[in-house]
Amino acid sequence: MQPSVAERRPQSFDRVLSSMCTKPHPAARRAAERFLAANPGDPATYETIAELEREAVASLAEVTGLADAVGVDGDTEARGNTGVSENTESHGDIAAHGYVTSGGSESNIQAVRSARERAETADPVVVAPESAHFSFHKAASVLDVELRTVPTDADGRADVDAVAAAVDEDAALVVAVAGSTEYGRVDPIPAMADLAVDAGVPLHVDAAWGGFHLPFSGHDWGFGVDGVETVTIDPHKVGRAAVPAGGLLARDPVALDALAVDTPYLETASQASLTGTRSGAGVASAAAAMDELWPDDYRAEYERASELAAWFAEELRSRGLDVVDPELPLVAFDLSRATFEAVRERGWRLSRTGAGEARVVVMPHVTRGSLSAFLDDLDAPR
Amino acid sequence: MQPSVAERRPQSFDRVLSSMCTKPHPAARRAAERFLAANPGDPATYETIAELEREAVASLAEVTGLADAVGVDGDTEARGNTGVSENTESHGDIAAHGYVTSGGSESNIQAVRSARERAETADPVVVAPESAHFSFHKAASVLDVELRTVPTDADGRADVDAVAAAVDEDAALVVAVAGSTEYGRVDPIPAMADLAVDAGVPLHVDAAWGGFHLPFSGHDWGFGVDGVETVTIDPHKVGRAAVPAGGLLARDPVALDALAVDTPYLETASQASLTGTRSGAGVASAAAAMDELWPDDYRAEYERASELAAWFAEELRSRGLDVVDPELPLVAFDLSRATFEAVRERGWRLSRTGAGEARVVVMPHVTRGSLSAFLDDLDAPR
């Protein structure tokens, strides 16, 4: 007999190894629970959550280097904000550069949509490395644009020459990946930005997963790179907000204006988001997580996860397994089909790359203890 | 000095009169809090929430008449389900007919997208009454299809002859509204379905708000009407789930197959949703709310809200105000600009129709007490 709906409990995260979701930070969880019923899609009714969204965007602007790039100190303004109506202008500056989406897929779809709207060609093309997330395929299907994927180099990063060769007069957007879903690879973003600028095409950076590691990893990836026009970064992944909390940021607010649709019955004039009603839980928890964790705790998590990934990779190698050298804390490695099935059978939530490697994403809930237990199961006779 | 993010609290619902969001039912809130970190977008990792999504879809299939129409008793199957892998087939039947979306906008966009994908014309047109929600304008913009809106009759319902006249060989979808956002009007759905069937075009019913009232209101609106091919119905509105929990249902699973995109790195083959990561809170709370409230408590709420709307309309009329006769529990009425501003100033969260009437949506949190207090403020000298 199945337990009733009310009795059902989620499984623990102890054996979740391949997900880019994680347990929200306690402060994020508390904020999510407080704002479960508020709708940031209706800011004239739900003012407090609208205010928290502006703060979340201001924080994201710091994480991605946008605040520095456009010369607005989002954080200071956020703290000094005293309410909506009085203060829209001073705060509006940074808030006009982004919004909290439902996640990376919406952010990527919207970035492509904005590029399509602003393209001067009738047949807009999006040029992306084949490592780009499947949401770009979804975007191409939804938006009826061509997605032109370009093979990556042997290490799984965008091949700049190949990308350059694929950019023609129909190119409306170049996509760079900053932390690929399968291997955690970061594309050579400055070089891609240069070629995008030369071609007069915006560069979109998908840092949905990598965005809260990259400020500490030494990569050039965000709005500090000229030519990066839009960035996807998800608080609900490494940012430790509750789902749904994605982020879309734009260097130029015009990129978001291109998405606006009139909203006749609301006391606000238009709406740029893909969804209508939106989750107050996601927005509040994003604001709370970043308020609590940026930058020191995110840095500490980057360091912890990177060390753990390096250790785990070494443990796998010592067992004779081929391991893709981790760039960000994500370890892909060869594992026979039989062993893969056997560990899934033991409850490990493991998934594979398109090429068949197992992949372990070292999220905040993944510990040395859980990876040791996984290695024990790999070592166990079957 | 602004309180810190952690100290910020949402405003109360006491004065929220125009929103289609409401306080989630306690059982829905508890379920949302339990499943805040589960991702229904990755069913091979998060199996319990995937199971709850199947139950939510089975419940929605009952509410919309789909279970009866396709001869599957969703509820019984849902209760008897013993797990995912063993039981995909018996349960898969009804689960293949829908999914829990982020809300009405995603559902409507996806319904239009599905129709576009299946249309045989190169220039697909969506024919909708001008009362259709702005998400259809968003859908048209996103999906690059033409939205052909048709004036409503004097009562705010679709004019069937005008809709028929607008349907030509490029028509890919006809939209009917079952509970319009501005006036709560229900279109003549059987007549619209007849014309759609005659034209060989699917009919989509947008019951995002009305869907949990309509089973008790005597209207013909759901899959019981031949020709209704897809339905939008939001658990997070009158269904009392937590945001984000929308619903998209299809008579024929082929309508959803048209939306599927490959998901290379997940241990499931494809994904029909517009978003990728999705909210476990929304899905779990939808399942919990419907498990708890369908059908008796929803019927009781329909009756309570309808009586309250009728009383409120009469009270407004007795004050000499013009009132649009309520069909579902939503009351639109003429209010001077000055009075509108004055009551907003007193904290009432009120919004207007495009034509300028004030609109009160009698949601579960709206009580006789709150409406009396509102009337007192209307009566107060300014």
Side-chain angles (χ1 to χ4, degrees):
Chain A
M1 181 69 192
Q2 179 86 346
S4 72
V5 170
E7 288 164 345
R8 230 72 70 82
R9 293 293 176 275
Q11 62 270 59
S12 126
F13 270 92
D14 289 355
R15 299 196 160 210
V16 173
L17 295 185
S18 300
S19 182
M20 288 179 163
C21 294
T22 193
K23 285 189 275 197
H25 184 274
R29 170 175 278 277
R30 288 191 297 271
E33 293 180 356
R34 281 198 300 279
F35 287 89
L36 261 181
N39 173 15
D42 181 4
T45 298
Y46 301 96
E47 293 175 355
T48 311
I49 196 67
E51 213 172 85
L52 287 172
E53 179 162 21
R54 283 189 293 277
E55 304 210 6
V57 171
S59 293
L60 286 170
E62 288 188 57
V63 176
T64 57
L66 178 63
D68 280 347
V70 300
V72 177
D73 182 348
D75 191 57
T76 307
E77 286 201 50
R79 298 301 163 277
N81 180 26
T82 55
V84 183
S85 46
E86 302 91 337
N87 223 340
T88 316
E89 276 211 357
S90 74
H91 208 110
D93 283 347
I94 201 69
H97 290 265
Y99 76 98
V100 176
T101 71
S102 58
S105 291
E106 176 176 347
S107 301
N108 288 336
I109 291 169
Q110 293 278 73
V112 173
R113 181 177 163 218
S114 174
R116 182 192 70 176
E117 297 301 310
R118 292 177 299 139
E120 282 166 14
T121 163
D123 300 302
V125 171
V126 174
V127 178
E130 61 186 12
S131 53
H133 186 255
F134 70 77
S135 54
F136 290 99
H137 295 267
K138 198 183 274 188
S141 158
V142 167
L143 298 165
D144 200 18
V145 302
E146 181 191 337
L147 178 65
R148 189 174 289 163
T149 58
V150 176
T152 54
D153 67 18
D155 269 345
R157 293 182 196 86
D159 176 330
V160 177
D161 292 336
V163 171
V167 172
D168 62 17
E169 69 283 2
D170 284 330
L173 187 69
V174 175
V175 172
V177 183
S180 65
T181 310
E182 297 203 314
Y183 301 105
R185 288 288 184 255
V186 182
D187 288 339
I189 289 169
M192 293 176 77
D194 282 347
L195 83 84
V197 169
D198 287 347
V201 174
L203 181 71
H204 173 69
V205 172
D206 181 4
W209 172 70
F212 285 88
H213 286 317
L214 291 159
F216 316 108
S217 68
H219 292 89
D220 288 321
W221 66 286
F223 291 101
V225 180
D226 282 341
V228 172
E229 295 301 324
T230 48
V231 169
T232 290
I233 173 170
D234 281 1
H236 72 204
K237 295 189 169 88
V238 179
R240 301 194 65 188
V243 175
L248 175 64
L249 296 171
R251 185 184 296 273
D252 185 341
V254 165
L256 295 175
D257 294 345
L259 305 171
V261 171
D262 290 345
T263 53
Y265 66 90
L266 297 178
E267 290 302 304
T268 40
S270 70
Q271 188 172 85
S273 58
L274 196 56
T275 57
T277 296
R278 288 186 292 140
S279 164
V283 167
S285 73
M290 293 186 283
D291 188 53
E292 182 86 15
L293 303 173
W294 170 259
D296 293 347
D297 291 310
Y298 289 132
R299 179 187 293 112
E301 172 57 19
Y302 167 72
E303 288 164 1
R304 182 201 75 88
S306 298
E307 281 165 28
L308 189 55
W311 170 81
F312 182 61
E314 196 44 48
E315 287 290 321
L316 293 167
R317 278 200 193 94
S318 76
R319 285 161 174 80
L321 296 168
D322 279 340
V323 180
V324 181
D325 214 28
E327 179 171 9
L328 291 177
L330 191 167
V331 184
F333 54 100
D334 277 329
L335 198 63
S336 71
R337 177 85 206 175
T339 309
F340 180 86
E341 297 295 351
V343 295
R344 283 224 24 127
E345 199 65 32
R346 289 177 185 227
W348 294 101
R349 294 286 161 261
L350 196 65
S351 72
R352 279 164 297 192
T353 66
E357 295 107 337
R359 49 190 278 287
V360 167
V361 189
V362 185
M363 294 296 288
H365 67 268
V366 175
T367 63
R368 179 138 172 181
S370 58
L371 291 182
S372 294
F374 175 75
L375 290 167
D376 288 346
D377 275 358
L378 278 190
D379 295 340
R382 273 174 301 276
Chain B
M1 181 68 192
Q2 179 85 344
S4 73
V5 170
E7 288 164 345
R8 229 72 71 82
R9 292 293 176 275
Q11 62 269 59
S12 130
F13 270 92
D14 289 354
R15 300 196 159 210
V16 173
L17 295 184
S18 299
S19 182
M20 287 179 164
C21 295
T22 192
K23 285 189 275 196
H25 184 273
R29 170 176 278 278
R30 288 192 297 269
E33 292 179 356
R34 281 197 300 278
F35 287 90
L36 260 182
N39 173 15
D42 181 3
T45 298
Y46 302 96
E47 293 175 357
T48 312
I49 195 69
E51 212 172 85
L52 287 174
E53 180 164 21
R54 283 189 294 277
E55 305 210 5
V57 170
S59 293
L60 286 171
E62 288 188 57
V63 177
T64 57
L66 178 63
D68 280 346
V70 300
V72 177
D73 182 348
D75 190 57
T76 307
E77 286 201 49
R79 298 303 163 272
N81 180 27
T82 55
V84 184
S85 45
E86 302 91 334
N87 223 340
T88 316
E89 275 207 3
S90 74
H91 207 111
D93 284 349
I94 201 68
H97 290 265
Y99 76 99
V100 176
T101 71
S102 58
S105 292
E106 176 176 347
S107 302
N108 288 336
I109 291 170
Q110 293 278 74
V112 173
R113 181 177 162 217
S114 175
R116 183 193 70 178
E117 297 302 309
R118 293 177 299 141
E120 283 166 12
T121 163
D123 300 302
V125 171
V126 174
V127 178
E130 62 185 12
S131 53
H133 186 255
F134 71 76
S135 54
F136 290 99
H137 294 267
K138 199 183 273 188
S141 159
V142 167
L143 298 165
D144 200 17
V145 302
E146 180 192 337
L147 178 65
R148 190 174 289 164
T149 57
V150 176
T152 53
D153 66 17
D155 269 345
R157 293 183 195 86
D159 176 329
V160 177
D161 292 337
V163 171
V167 171
D168 61 17
E169 68 283 0
D170 285 330
L173 187 69
V174 176
V175 172
V177 183
S180 64
T181 309
E182 298 203 313
Y183 300 105
R185 288 291 184 254
V186 182
D187 288 339
I189 289 170
M192 293 176 78
D194 283 347
L195 84 83
V197 168
D198 286 347
V201 174
L203 181 71
H204 173 69
V205 173
D206 180 4
W209 173 70
F212 285 87
H213 286 316
L214 291 160
F216 316 107
S217 68
H219 292 89
D220 289 320
W221 66 286
F223 290 101
V225 180
D226 283 340
V228 172
E229 295 300 325
T230 47
V231 169
T232 290
I233 173 171
D234 281 1
H236 71 205
K237 294 189 170 88
V238 179
R240 300 195 65 188
V243 175
L248 175 64
L249 296 170
R251 184 184 298 271
D252 185 341
V254 165
L256 295 175
D257 295 345
L259 305 172
V261 171
D262 290 346
T263 54
Y265 66 89
L266 297 178
E267 290 303 303
T268 40
S270 70
Q271 190 172 86
S273 58
L274 195 56
T275 59
T277 296
R278 288 186 292 138
S279 164
V283 167
S285 73
M290 291 186 283
D291 188 54
E292 182 86 15
L293 303 173
W294 170 258
D296 293 347
D297 291 310
Y298 289 130
R299 180 187 293 111
E301 172 58 17
Y302 167 71
E303 288 164 1
R304 183 200 74 90
S306 298
E307 280 165 29
L308 190 54
W311 169 82
F312 182 62
E314 197 43 47
E315 287 289 322
L316 293 167
R317 279 200 193 93
S318 75
R319 285 162 173 80
L321 295 168
D322 280 341
V323 180
V324 181
D325 214 27
E327 178 171 10
L328 292 177
L330 191 167
V331 184
F333 55 100
D334 277 329
L335 198 64
S336 71
R337 177 87 206 175
T339 309
F340 180 87
E341 296 296 350
V343 295
R344 282 217 37 119
E345 198 66 33
R346 287 176 187 228
W348 294 101
R349 293 288 160 259
L350 196 65
S351 72
R352 280 163 298 191
T353 66
E357 295 107 337
R359 48 190 280 286
V360 166
V361 189
V362 184
M363 294 295 290
H365 66 270
V366 175
T367 62
R368 180 138 171 179
S370 59
L371 292 182
S372 294
F374 174 75
L375 290 167
D376 287 347
D377 276 356
L378 278 191
D379 295 341
R382 274 173 299 278

